[in-house]
Amino acid sequence: MIANKEPKVTKDLANKKITFVREFDAPLEQVWHAWTEASLLDLWWAPRPWKAITKTMDFSEGGHWLYNMMGPDGTGQFCRVDFKKIVPYKSFATVDSFCSEDGKVNESFPQTDWNIEFIATSEGTTVKIDLTFASEADLQKILEMGFEQGFAMGLSNLDELLAE
Amino acid sequence: MKKDVFQAIADPTRRAILSLIALQAMTPNALAEHFDTSRQAVSKHIKVLTECNLLKQEQSGREIYYHFNPKKMKEVVDWLAQFRQHWETKFNQLDIVLKNLKTK
């Protein structure tokens, strides 16, 4: 039985920023690996029933992670995460986009800026995630689409939704 | 240019206006009495809220009343709830991954 932990969400909507803070019952080093190693990311990155399947991973500044977001119907959408600044075992920043199978960024969809911070605590590790949306228009679009009940939405899936 | 609903509710005065009007429909004058700012400033806020459909205007005799539009507000709340749900699912999956790492 796992503790059901409530992520704290704060919104700074004027600046198009959403922050998540969540505690994990594991040492910082392990949490860091879970966020930065493809074999582990594939196990949790996509909310079920989606599945993340890594194609290539180069976790270094200027490198990127290319993965396929597989839907329950077997259709996939490739996404890429470009690594900007990396401070080992402390934080890393990324830009997430939507792309083709060979990693060519699809410019017609909004990108999201991320900053992920790891803080060791007496119980385990706190992860703080800042997401910044590119523009008001992106959020506006997302709002206008309306949502199907029970549709689990990923950040990359936001783009997927916009594509429909 | 269509007004952004997120931008609209990012302002504390506008949120206060929404809270008041959610309780009962109000005229701009009645609303302005609740705020220290000028009537002009309040009118501007009302305009922003109306433009993004959070408020609806209704003519009643010679007076204009503003009504709260819960449907539009629900969109904002729903979006955030979906967003949160997505992350909770992911984080719970990560808990399991971390637990398995421990027992290896």
Side-chain angles (χ1 to χ4, degrees), chain A residues 27-42:
Chain A
L28 188 141
E29 213 165 289
Q30 279 187 355
V31 179
W32 174 268
H33 289 306
W35 278 85
T36 56
E37 284 173 22
S39 61
L40 295 173
L41 277 165
D42 282 3

Side-chain angles (χ1 to χ4, degrees), chain B:
Chain B
M1 162 77 198
K2 220 179 145 199
K3 285 284 179 214
D4 179 1
V5 70
F6 281 93
Q7 195 70 38
I9 59 173
D11 181 278
T13 308
R14 287 202 283 269
R15 285 201 299 272
I17 291 174
L18 282 175
S19 307
L20 284 167
I21 294 184
L23 296 172
Q24 55 170 32
M26 288 172 100
T27 63
N29 281 345
L31 198 56
E33 280 166 23
H34 288 269
F35 296 94
D36 295 333
T37 48
S38 67
R39 273 174 197 228
Q40 240 174 335
V42 172
S43 294
K44 250 190 203 155
H45 285 311
I46 292 174
K47 189 165 174 272
V48 172
L49 292 167
T50 310
E51 277 175 352
C52 69
N53 293 326
L54 282 167
L55 293 184
K56 280 196 240 173
Q57 267 191 37
E58 232 166 79
Q59 190 84 28
S60 172
R62 282 163 57 188
E63 293 277 20
I64 289 178
Y65 278 87
Y66 285 94
H67 294 254
F68 179 62
N69 180 7
K71 212 168 131 213
K72 187 71 190 180
M73 197 66 206
K74 192 172 179 302
E75 279 180 26
V76 180
V77 174
D78 285 353
W79 183 79
L80 289 165
Q82 290 276 11
F83 202 74
R84 194 191 181 105
Q85 183 57 51
H86 165 89
W87 281 95
E88 276 178 29
T89 306
K90 276 171 81 151
F91 289 155
N92 292 339
Q93 289 170 184
L94 176 53
D95 282 331
I96 296 167
V97 169
L98 292 167
K99 208 173 152 199
N100 293 341
L101 280 179
K102 257 194 215 169
T103 53
K104 261 180 198 165

Side-chain angles (χ1 to χ4, degrees), chain A residues 59-149:
Chain A
F59 183 70
S60 65
E61 288 184 5
H64 72 268
W65 174 35
L66 175 63
Y67 67 95
N68 189 0
M69 188 71 105
M70 283 282 273
D73 60 351
T75 56
Q77 170 56 57
F78 279 84
C79 308
R80 67 181 279 168
V81 173
D82 283 83
F83 301 108
K84 303 295 172 192
K85 193 173 165 50
I86 298 173
V87 184
Y89 300 106
K90 274 201 167 44
S91 71
F92 65 93
T94 69
V95 176
D96 286 33
S97 38
F98 216 43
C99 64
S100 65
E101 196 170 344
D102 53 5
K104 194 177 174 310
V105 172
N106 188 332
E107 302 283 354
S108 55
F109 295 101
Q111 292 182 315
T112 316
D113 287 326
W114 295 56
N115 191 58
I116 304 148
E117 214 180 312
F118 300 78
I119 304 132
T121 62
S122 52
E123 287 84 45
T125 310
T126 300
V127 179
K128 180 171 173 279
I129 307 155
D130 283 319
L131 295 173
T132 311
F133 291 88
S135 72
E136 284 181 28
D138 295 349
L139 269 184
Q140 185 71 30
K141 264 194 226 167
I142 290 158
L143 276 176
E144 282 168 4
M145 291 180 313
F147 292 111
E148 286 173 47
Q149 212 46 38

Side-chain angles (χ1 to χ4, degrees), chain A residues 40-60:
Chain A
L40 295 173
L41 277 165
D42 282 3
L43 297 173
W44 72 272
W45 184 253
R48 283 189 191 92
W50 273 272
K51 247 176 99 161
I53 302 159
T54 297
K55 192 177 176 192
T56 62
M57 169 58 122
D58 169 14
F59 183 70
S60 65

